[in-house]
Amino acid sequence: MDTVPPTPPPPSASANEAPPLPRLPTEILVTIFQHLPMADLAQVRLTCHHWHDTICYTSSLMEKFVLSFKNCRLYEGCEQCRVLAKSKSVYTKATLKAVAVEDAADTLWCALGEDLQDLTLNDCSISGETLVRLLRCTPNLRYFALKTTKFEEFHINNVSVDFRLEKLETLTLRSIFVYDECFAMFRQICPRLKVLKLNYSSFEGWGEKLVQFVQTVRGTLEGINLSYTKIGATLLHKLATVDRLRLKKISLKSSYDLKQRDIIQLSRLQPSIVHLNIDNLFPADDQILSEISRNLPNLKRIKLHICRVHNLQQSFLGNMRRLEYLKITDATHVAGNLDLSAYENTHLEKLYVSAATFSRNTLPRFFEKSPNIRSLTLYQCSYENIHDLQLSFAHLKKLEYLNLQRTFDIDDSFFSRTVFDSVNMPFERIRFFPVTNLTRLCYLNLSRCRDLSDETLVAISFPRLKKIDLRGLNITDFGVRALVRQCPRLEYVHVDACKRICDSAVLMLCRDLRRLKLLNLDGCRAITDASIEHVIAHCRTSLVWLNMMNCPLLTDEAKHRLEGVRSIRSLYV
């Protein structure tokens, strides 16, 4: 009787061959990859086919990538079109910079369109008809921006506008001339627009087509940005009186044709405004401050200049109990004109003050009543008593962002010396070290504080600090050594115009800061080709942005070698 031979056992791995690694489930890989920055994610994608496909077919991971075209021509059959047609990657964001977009590039838009949600054209040249065809292929677009884009003319007579971008929420037309026909096109295809940004742009006539556009989207439009435009009182009034328009945000920064009465009238016609930017427009006096506070009771963000005011608390701040962000510039430079000491607001999270002179004891009293500030900028301010600023840190335990740019009153003792609390305890000499309260600090800007040196870097110790700006300070490698030791999480470092920064300081920044993403060495005239070698040796995976301009000791050959650092996306040499 015939017998069936037994199935031979599978060949066993040889003694020298490593057994295959078990494959992690896709769900676990996605969870792990979610925590990686974009640069690391790009490297991980090259590991194996499984990891590559996991990243490319997971939309939440691909959202971290931006498809970028720079300084090229896009046309039918070009290399970019061929590569994207074969690619498995799905991009939700794309940026075109200095690109000539020709009429016959439909293959490119068909390859990208269905998944694109964010598209920016910056300094590009494109015809109106090509723009229409491009937008027709992107039905899921949520954000679209045209910046400094050149239109020799804008005609769409030979193409039908028979589609709508139902999901488009933000439209930016920045630094371009907006033709009436362009407004008419967007009026037809953007039925649910929420934000319209026209900063630095101009338009035909007095803006009649703009008003018609706003009338079309009035049911959904919440914000409009007209900063740096030539908008006048008539056009602003027509926009503000559009029936059933309820604006929440409006920016009119540096729109110099507007007067105080125009802003007062706007606040009466649009009481729903919660974000108002009239920065660099005119110095506001007691009258406009009082009108704004009365007409806009729900205001949460405001940016403005002030002139001489009699009582800032009574005319304005006393009614602004819901403010979350206040940016205010003192146009007088008079001591005590900007008195915040009586203002009490636990909702205030961001404060930006420029060019003010603070009287004695006003700052500590203010910060005691506004303890939840997370972001503080005191740009080019001066103080009758610099210890008031030190005392303020005792109340700012939630502070994450601190900008003291061009504060000429501080020196090295500011961060190292203990002070007496003479405000809350005038009869007891209680000495304490206020800067230790800033345990949450992530950003510190000390640029152009001319009396700071290495001693400051030795004194500061912020373990969570990620960004620091030391532009123009008199620091050396001694201070940098202390900085990298005490602030090991730094990712963004600006030491441009620090003339005493040398190669050893660059070595410590590149070698010891494992997370370094941005390094600005512009104007560091003492660095040589050795600094470039340090960048190449230690920053191959993390560094994304590097500026080494105006460094005369660097050779062209060494600069050319930086092009081999694949992680660097923005290089200035």
Side-chain angles (χ1 to χ4, degrees):
M1 181 175 180
D2 295 332
T3 59
V4 179
T7 304
S12 59
S14 64
N16 296 328
E17 184 180 350
L21 292 174
R23 174 179 290 189
L24 288 174
T26 302
E27 296 78 8
I28 295 179
L29 281 176
V30 171
T31 303
I32 295 173
F33 293 159
Q34 292 283 6
H35 298 279
L36 295 180
M38 189 275 294
D40 293 341
L41 204 59
Q43 295 292 327
V44 166
R45 192 167 58 168
L46 303 177
T47 305
C48 64
H49 290 293
H50 178 49
W51 288 16
H52 178 274
D53 292 345
T54 298
I55 294 172
C56 289
Y57 291 118
T58 305
S59 58
S60 60
L61 295 176
M62 286 304 297
E63 286 177 357
K64 297 185 178 183
F65 291 90
V66 178
L67 179 64
S68 179
F69 298 104
K70 293 183 179 180
N71 302 307
C72 63
R73 288 172 55 238
L74 295 180
Y75 55 91
E76 193 68 27
C78 66
E79 182 181 1
Q80 293 88 343
C81 295
R82 294 196 303 270
V83 171
L84 283 172
K86 299 177 181 179
S87 174
K88 298 179 181 179
S89 301
V90 176
Y91 294 96
T92 60
K93 299 179 183 179
T95 299
L96 281 64
K97 185 173 183 180
V99 174
V101 185
E102 298 188 3
D103 294 343
D106 293 344
T107 303
L108 176 65
W109 311 128
C110 292
L112 293 175
E114 288 291 335
D115 302 292
L116 270 186
Q117 298 179 16
D118 186 321
L119 177 60
T120 298
L121 275 63
N122 190 352
D123 196 22
C124 296
S125 59
I126 186 173
S127 69
E129 294 180 354
T130 302
L131 179 62
V132 172
R133 284 195 289 267
L134 184 158
L135 294 175
R136 180 185 284 111
C137 296
T138 56
N140 296 312
L141 212 58
R142 295 181 181 274
Y143 174 89
F144 179 62
L146 285 172
K147 301 179 179 179
T148 326
T149 297
K150 306 176 185 67
F151 292 107
E152 293 183 2
E153 56 184 11
F154 195 93
H155 295 304
I156 55 175
N157 300 328
N158 298 323
V159 61
S160 60
V161 185
D162 54 356
F163 63 96
R164 302 179 81 183
L165 300 178
E166 299 283 352
K167 298 181 180 180
L168 188 66
E169 296 181 350
T170 302
L171 174 63
T172 300
L173 304 174
R174 177 186 172 98
S175 301
I176 68 173
F177 183 82
V178 187
Y179 292 90
D180 285 348
E181 201 167 354
C182 183
F183 271 132
M185 179 194 71
F186 283 115
R187 178 186 175 189
Q188 185 173 344
I189 67 176
C190 304
R192 292 183 172 85
L193 199 67
K194 291 184 177 180
V195 179
L196 175 63
K197 299 181 180 180
L198 295 169
N199 34 327
Y200 293 97
S201 292
S202 55
F203 27 80
E204 292 188 66
W206 56 266
E208 179 182 2
K209 295 297 182 181
L210 170 60
V211 175
Q212 293 177 2
F213 182 27
V214 172
Q215 288 174 339
T216 303
V217 296
R218 61 192 174 190
T220 57
L221 192 66
E222 297 178 353
I224 185 167
N225 189 332
L226 294 166
S227 297
Y228 299 96
T229 64
K230 294 184 178 181
I231 182 173
T234 302
L235 178 56
L236 182 63
H237 178 75
K238 288 184 177 294
L239 291 172
T241 54
V242 171
D243 187 33
R244 297 195 302 277
L245 176 65
R246 300 293 181 267
L247 287 177
K248 293 183 179 179
K249 304 176 184 179
I250 186 166
S251 178
L252 300 166
K253 180 179 180 179
S254 300
S255 299
Y256 297 114
D257 291 342
L258 299 177
K259 307 300 181 185
Q260 289 199 24
R261 61 179 179 272
D262 303 322
I263 304 303
I264 292 175
Q265 187 179 51
L266 172 68
S267 67
R268 292 171 180 168
L269 294 171
Q270 291 291 329
S272 57
I273 292 175
V274 294
H275 292 190
L276 176 62
N277 185 354
I278 52 174
D279 192 18
N280 204 25
L281 197 55
F282 48 72
D285 56 18
D286 288 286
Q287 179 186 2
I288 186 173
L289 292 175
S290 178
E291 286 279 355
I292 289 176
S293 65
R294 186 183 308 115
N295 299 332
L296 304 177
N298 298 317
L299 205 61
K300 293 183 178 180
R301 296 171 62 97
I302 187 169
K303 302 178 183 180
L304 75 165
H305 277 53
I306 63 168
C307 58
R308 194 73 175 99
V309 293
H310 296 92
N311 190 322
L312 187 63
Q313 171 69 16
Q314 182 177 348
S315 63
F316 177 62
L317 291 178
N319 298 325
M320 296 285 99
R321 299 296 183 183
R322 299 185 180 182
L323 272 185
E324 298 175 359
Y325 176 52
L326 172 62
K327 180 180 180 182
I328 189 165
T329 300
D330 190 354
T332 67
H333 303 280
V334 175
N337 185 53
L338 184 56
D339 186 359
L340 302 172
S341 59
Y343 184 44
E344 181 176 356
N345 183 358
T346 57
H347 298 287
L348 193 64
E349 295 184 353
K350 295 183 179 181
L351 176 66
Y352 186 116
V353 179
S354 176
T357 301
F358 293 102
S359 299
R360 186 180 295 269
N361 295 336
T362 57
L363 275 181
R365 291 193 177 105
F366 164 67
F367 288 121
E368 183 180 11
K369 299 174 182 178
S370 302
N372 294 319
I373 292 178
R374 295 185 296 106
S375 174
L376 174 62
T377 297
L378 299 171
Y379 176 79
Q380 204 168 346
C381 295
S382 55
Y383 310 84
E384 289 187 352
N385 184 5
I386 191 60
H387 291 169
D388 287 349
L389 182 55
Q390 291 176 299
L391 288 171
S392 300
F393 293 150
H395 309 292
L396 298 176
K397 297 182 179 181
K398 297 183 179 180
L399 196 66
E400 299 174 1
Y401 180 106
L402 177 60
N403 186 346
L404 299 176
Q405 186 176 2
R406 291 186 176 272
T407 303
F408 301 136
D409 294 337
I410 63 176
D411 55 22
D412 287 325
S413 64
F414 181 82
F415 287 100
S416 61
R417 186 171 59 191
T418 57
V419 296
F420 293 105
D421 189 346
S422 58
V423 178
N424 298 314
M425 294 165 284
F427 304 108
E428 300 180 43
R429 295 182 65 78
I430 305 298
R431 186 183 291 271
F432 72 106
F433 195 46
V435 76
T436 57
N437 285 301
L438 306 182
T439 57
R440 299 186 181 184
L441 202 65
C442 297
Y443 174 93
L444 178 62
N445 190 336
L446 300 174
S447 62
R448 304 299 182 183
C449 297
R450 57 194 178 196
D451 292 329
L452 299 184
S453 65
D454 288 334
E455 292 184 31
T456 295
L457 301 187
V458 172
I460 63 175
S461 179
F462 303 120
R464 296 188 181 183
L465 198 66
K466 293 184 178 181
K467 302 180 181 181
I468 192 166
D469 193 334
L470 304 171
R471 186 177 313 162
L473 300 193
N474 188 31
I475 57 175
T476 67
D477 56 345
F478 178 77
V480 171
R481 182 180 296 108
L483 176 69
V484 298
R485 181 177 64 251
Q486 295 164 175
C487 306
R489 295 188 179 183
L490 279 173
E491 299 178 3
Y492 300 78
V493 178
H494 293 268
V495 288
D496 42 318
C498 296
K499 298 180 180 179
R500 299 179 67 189
I501 288 291
C502 59
D503 295 328
S504 58
V506 177
L507 172 61
M508 286 180 279
L509 290 170
C510 295
R511 181 191 61 198
D512 300 335
L513 298 178
R514 300 292 184 181
R515 306 179 183 183
L516 188 64
K517 296 180 180 179
L518 179 149
L519 180 58
N520 193 342
L521 299 167
D522 185 6
C524 295
R525 305 180 69 83
I527 65 175
T528 68
D529 289 350
S531 291
I532 291 182
E533 298 301 324
H534 299 327
V535 171
I536 295 174
H538 301 286
C539 299
R540 282 194 169 273
T541 58
S542 62
L543 195 64
V544 177
W545 193 98
L546 176 65
N547 187 344
M548 302 183 82
M549 296 181 67
N550 302 308
C551 301
L553 300 182
L554 299 181
T555 64
D556 292 338
E557 181 181 356
K559 293 177 183 179
H560 183 69
R561 293 194 61 196
L562 285 171
E563 297 177 1
V565 183
R566 295 183 60 183
S567 65
I568 298 178
R569 298 200 302 270
S570 298
L571 177 62
Y572 304 93
V573 291

